[in-house]
Amino acid sequence: MTVLTILNAPGTEIPDLLTDLGDRDGIELRIAEAETLSRALPGTDVLLMWDFFSTALRDAYASADRLTWVHAAAAGVDSLLFDELVDSPVTVTNARGTFDRPIAEFVLNYILMHAKSSIGSLADQREQKWNRRSTRDVAGSKAMIVGTGAIGREVARLLKAVDIEVTGAGSHARGGDADFGDVIDSSTLADHVGGYDWVIDIAPLTERTDRLIGSEVFAAMDDTAVFINVGRGDTVDTDALVAALRGKEIAGAGLDVFDEEPLPADHPLWGFDDVIITPHMSGDTRGWRMRLAEQFHRLFERYLAGEEFPHTVDKKLGYVR
Amino acid sequence: MTVLTILNAPGTEIPDLLTDLGDRDGIELRIAEAETLSRALPGTDVLLMWDFFSTALRDAYASADRLTWVHAAAAGVDSLLFDELVDSPVTVTNARGTFDRPIAEFVLNYILMHAKSSIGSLADQREQKWNRRSTRDVAGSKAMIVGTGAIGREVARLLKAVDIEVTGAGSHARGGDADFGDVIDSSTLADHVGGYDWVIDIAPLTERTDRLIGSEVFAAMDDTAVFINVGRGDTVDTDALVAALRGKEIAGAGLDVFDEEPLPADHPLWGFDDVIITPHMSGDTRGWRMRLAEQFHRLFERYLAGEEFPHTVDKKLGYVR
């Protein structure tokens, strides 16, 4: 008997593809929410974090007596990981691959909106104002992509497809990368970020990337450059970002993630003319929940068959290596 | 002695690169505006329409006694051409190539803004509203590009680079096109346009394309499809477009050109939530006037050297073949 527990958020639907697993011989399916997780965990072999931002496992972990695998239906696993889980033999997998292309398209959307002055055009439109002006070419512009994981690579490929030059910033400097060519050490961003038009943050949140991008980096950016974050809000010093925008040290931003979500209604970031705020949705294109369900379903079949997973999270690093 | 006349619009600067031509031996430079053109034309060999939307040549044409070449600093020559010019031996050239990539990027921006619900995100932002939702993938979507000239081809190449499928609509049906594969006859658009996500109008304005896109085409489009016009406003039946938007026959539009420009302040097109209005600026990226000046300068050197032009406008067709 394999016991599969799905941790769900209140009011969120779980696709039939997953709930139907409970009808299979040899599988017991339990559906839990944060408050009931500690009761569901005893006997659970496999935990699916369908509530992908939940930190409930940390609180309930003492009740886990035979857990072998946790799957997070998300790319970032920062909210899931904690010391006892990291030090345990439990395998952790994530939604690697599911969000890559949607997020890359979202980044290109931010870039084009800034280059083509779209916020200004929509503002003019509301006043029926015919305000002809010059905009910027995207071809030939330069992007620094902070984070060289699967999503960062897909961003690089898409931007290169529209003739944007890309450089990567990762955990260590190297050359000859298939997608980036040169990769700089992201701890030296301030030394390299001048001359780039777009600085794109898609780094995983780890101890190393916590507040990685702060006042030094913003000061080193061109004042015509735009900062884009589709990774994790905590990789940025938000006060420094607000100060850089106020001081016109950078020209604007495209922000999908924040250190506090939802972004509070009174937060200064809402109010800048050259900042596009979106509510942590860059990866969520139509059918995204079904794609997440299908991905878990494929991994679960492998688990039942005793096969290896194509990728697992390096729990010490905090991301898939 | 070669007499070069530059027709300029009031208040528009002419780059030194062009005015310096008047210092060269054997060249007389005249600067005219619409009202003074008829006085400048006698003796003029070459006319540069720096005021690229002007129809002044038609009115002043009787004064042209030795004109051999007219260059329009624009892609579309519809406002320039008239019967006497078409029937004359005068060579007409245009700004072919200068606007291709900027316009293609502008089209991609419209597409991404619609796919990623950017108008809605900016509206939510103004109300500090955190409104998470699903958006659309651009990869795998389908575009019908009406107009298979240089700009249409660059649009096709850029959209294919981000994995959008493209079909062309041109003056005649054909297969095996290098950029489009299949090209349909644009007069049969209504028979083919169903199933496409993006219908992009970059057709030149000719007798054949005048009001080419009307109620039949909009009715045949999917109600989730978006209409984009970066060509000429007169290729569209604007009343039919307004009706299609009101009737939700199509999902939205991105419009850079209109049958009346500037778009009147009381025009209904300004007010739709899912329509992006921009003021005929899709091709105008930083340095565009200098690029136009450089292009004319190159052609003028060829003219002086007695060399052929790399492209000329087929005056009967109304565009470069």
Side-chain angles (χ1 to χ4, degrees):
Chain A
M1 175 65 66
T2 297
V3 178
L4 165 64
T5 294
I6 301 179
L7 177 71
N8 197 26
T12 303
E13 227 175 301
I14 302 173
D16 292 346
L17 180 72
L18 299 182
T19 53
D20 286 354
L21 288 170
D23 300 334
R24 298 242 300 249
D25 285 343
I27 297 176
E28 180 189 332
L29 176 69
R30 301 175 183 174
I31 311 282
E33 295 189 358
E35 309 85 74
T36 57
L37 184 61
S38 63
R39 270 178 284 144
L41 277 181
T44 291
D45 301 281
V46 176
L47 175 64
L48 166 58
M49 302 287 292
W50 193 245
D51 181 4
F52 41 81
F53 286 150
S54 173
T55 57
L57 182 58
R58 185 187 312 235
D59 302 330
Y61 193 64
S63 310
D65 54 3
R66 49 178 287 172
L67 192 63
T68 60
W69 171 34
V70 178
H71 177 79
V77 292
D78 45 278
S79 56
L80 167 65
L81 294 177
F82 51 95
D83 287 349
E84 296 92 318
L85 182 64
V86 170
D87 295 337
S88 77
V90 172
T91 298
V92 173
T93 56
N94 72 344
R96 184 183 178 85
T98 306
F99 297 111
D100 300 1
R101 183 56 181 251
I103 293 178
E105 290 184 354
F106 214 85
V107 168
L108 184 56
N109 178 31
Y110 283 140
I111 287 176
L112 279 164
M113 285 180 71
H114 279 287
K116 304 304 179 187
S117 185
S118 301
I119 306 176
S121 291
L122 290 172
D124 288 340
Q125 183 174 344
R126 288 194 297 279
E127 302 176 12
Q128 299 87 45
K129 200 162 90 185
W130 187 266
N131 175 26
R132 207 172 167 184
R133 60 210 191 277
S134 298
T135 64
R136 291 163 71 181
D137 289 310
V138 157
S141 67
K142 292 175 70 180
M144 173 70 80
I145 301 173
V146 186
T148 57
I151 302 174
R153 288 177 186 282
E154 186 66 18
V155 172
R157 286 188 290 264
L158 189 65
L159 299 194
K160 287 195 292 183
V162 300
D163 300 310
I164 297 173
E165 293 175 41
V166 305
T167 302
S171 57
H172 60 283
R174 55 196 191 269
D177 184 279
D179 296 306
F180 293 101
D182 287 335
V183 174
I184 65 157
D185 182 328
S186 60
S187 66
T188 67
L189 258 181
D191 301 331
H192 293 91
V193 86
Y196 285 84
D197 301 287
W198 323 103
V199 177
I200 300 156
D201 181 4
I202 179 59
L205 178 60
T206 65
E207 271 183 33
R208 201 178 169 285
T209 64
D210 193 21
R211 305 287 185 279
L212 173 71
I213 298 176
S215 52
E216 270 189 36
V217 173
F218 292 124
M221 282 172 64
D222 291 5
D223 60 8
T224 54
V226 169
F227 175 69
I228 290 170
N229 194 357
V230 286
R232 282 290 183 258
D234 285 313
T235 60
V236 180
D237 178 340
T238 302
D239 293 341
L241 172 59
V242 169
L245 288 163
R246 283 195 175 129
K248 307 280 184 196
E249 289 175 62
I250 64 175
L255 304 172
D256 192 51
V257 293
F258 306 90
D259 54 9
E260 189 180 351
E261 293 181 7
L263 186 65
D266 60 352
H267 200 286
L269 279 175
W270 288 109
F272 289 99
D273 279 345
D274 295 315
V275 174
I276 306 165
I277 301 285
T278 51
H280 204 142
M281 66 180 203
S282 69
D284 304 351
T285 54
R286 276 180 209 168
W288 66 286
R289 285 183 185 274
M290 187 48 71
R291 288 193 293 275
L292 287 173
E294 287 164 353
Q295 180 180 44
F296 174 75
H297 193 269
R298 283 194 301 274
L299 292 174
F300 191 64
E301 295 290 0
R302 277 177 176 261
Y303 173 86
L304 294 176
E307 295 169 11
E308 280 204 13
F309 295 135
H311 55 79
T312 59
V313 171
D314 182 321
K315 294 184 288 181
K316 288 240 186 291
L317 289 176
Y319 50 87
V320 176
R321 205 199 311 240
Chain B
M1 174 65 66
T2 297
V3 177
L4 165 63
T5 295
I6 301 179
L7 177 70
N8 197 27
T12 303
E13 228 175 299
I14 303 174
D16 293 346
L17 180 71
L18 299 181
T19 53
D20 286 353
L21 289 170
D23 300 334
R24 298 241 300 247
D25 287 344
I27 297 175
E28 181 189 331
L29 177 68
R30 300 175 184 173
I31 310 284
E33 294 188 358
E35 309 86 73
T36 57
L37 184 61
S38 63
R39 270 178 284 144
L41 277 181
T44 291
D45 301 281
V46 177
L47 176 64
L48 166 58
M49 302 287 292
W50 194 245
D51 181 4
F52 41 81
F53 286 149
S54 174
T55 58
L57 181 59
R58 184 186 313 233
D59 303 328
Y61 193 65
S63 311
D65 53 4
R66 49 178 288 172
L67 192 63
T68 59
W69 171 34
V70 178
H71 177 78
V77 292
D78 46 276
S79 55
L80 168 64
L81 294 178
F82 51 95
D83 287 348
E84 296 92 317
L85 182 64
V86 169
D87 295 337
S88 76
V90 173
T91 298
V92 173
T93 56
N94 71 345
R96 184 182 178 84
T98 306
F99 297 110
D100 300 0
R101 184 55 182 252
I103 293 178
E105 291 184 355
F106 215 83
V107 168
L108 182 56
N109 183 37
Y110 282 141
I111 287 176
L112 279 164
M113 285 180 72
H114 279 288
K116 304 304 178 187
S117 186
S118 302
I119 306 176
S121 291
L122 290 173
D124 288 340
Q125 183 174 344
R126 287 193 297 278
E127 301 175 12
Q128 298 86 45
K129 201 161 89 184
W130 187 266
N131 175 25
R132 208 173 167 183
R133 60 210 191 278
S134 297
T135 64
R136 290 164 70 182
D137 288 309
V138 157
S141 67
K142 292 176 69 180
M144 173 71 79
I145 300 173
V146 186
T148 58
I151 303 174
R153 288 178 185 281
E154 187 66 17
V155 172
R157 287 189 289 263
L158 190 64
L159 299 195
K160 287 195 293 184
V162 301
D163 300 310
I164 296 173
E165 293 174 41
V166 305
T167 302
S171 56
H172 60 282
R174 56 198 189 267
D177 183 279
D179 296 307
F180 293 100
D182 287 336
V183 174
I184 65 156
D185 182 329
S186 60
S187 66
T188 65
L189 259 180
D191 301 331
H192 292 91
V193 86
Y196 285 84
D197 301 287
W198 323 103
V199 178
I200 300 157
D201 182 4
I202 180 58
L205 177 60
T206 65
E207 271 183 35
R208 200 177 171 285
T209 64
D210 193 20
R211 305 287 184 279
L212 173 71
I213 298 177
S215 52
E216 271 189 35
V217 174
F218 293 123
M221 283 171 64
D222 290 5
D223 60 8
T224 54
V226 169
F227 175 69
I228 290 170
N229 193 356
V230 286
R232 282 289 183 259
D234 285 313
T235 61
V236 180
D237 179 340
T238 303
D239 292 341
L241 173 58
V242 169
L245 288 163
R246 281 194 178 131
K248 308 277 184 198
E249 290 176 60
I250 63 175
L255 305 172
D256 192 51
V257 294
F258 306 90
D259 54 9
E260 190 181 350
E261 295 182 6
L263 186 66
D266 60 352
H267 200 286
L269 280 175
W270 288 109
F272 289 99
D273 278 346
D274 295 315
V275 174
I276 306 166
I277 302 284
T278 51
H280 203 142
M281 66 180 203
S282 70
D284 305 350
T285 53
R286 275 179 211 171
W288 66 286
R289 285 185 185 273
M290 187 49 71
R291 287 193 294 274
L292 288 172
E294 287 165 353
Q295 180 181 45
F296 174 75
H297 193 270
R298 283 193 302 273
L299 292 174
F300 191 63
E301 295 288 1
R302 277 177 176 262
Y303 173 86
L304 294 175
E307 294 170 11
E308 280 203 12
F309 294 135
H311 55 80
T312 60
V313 170
D314 183 320
K315 293 183 288 181
K316 289 240 187 287
L317 289 176
Y319 50 86
V320 176
R321 206 197 310 238

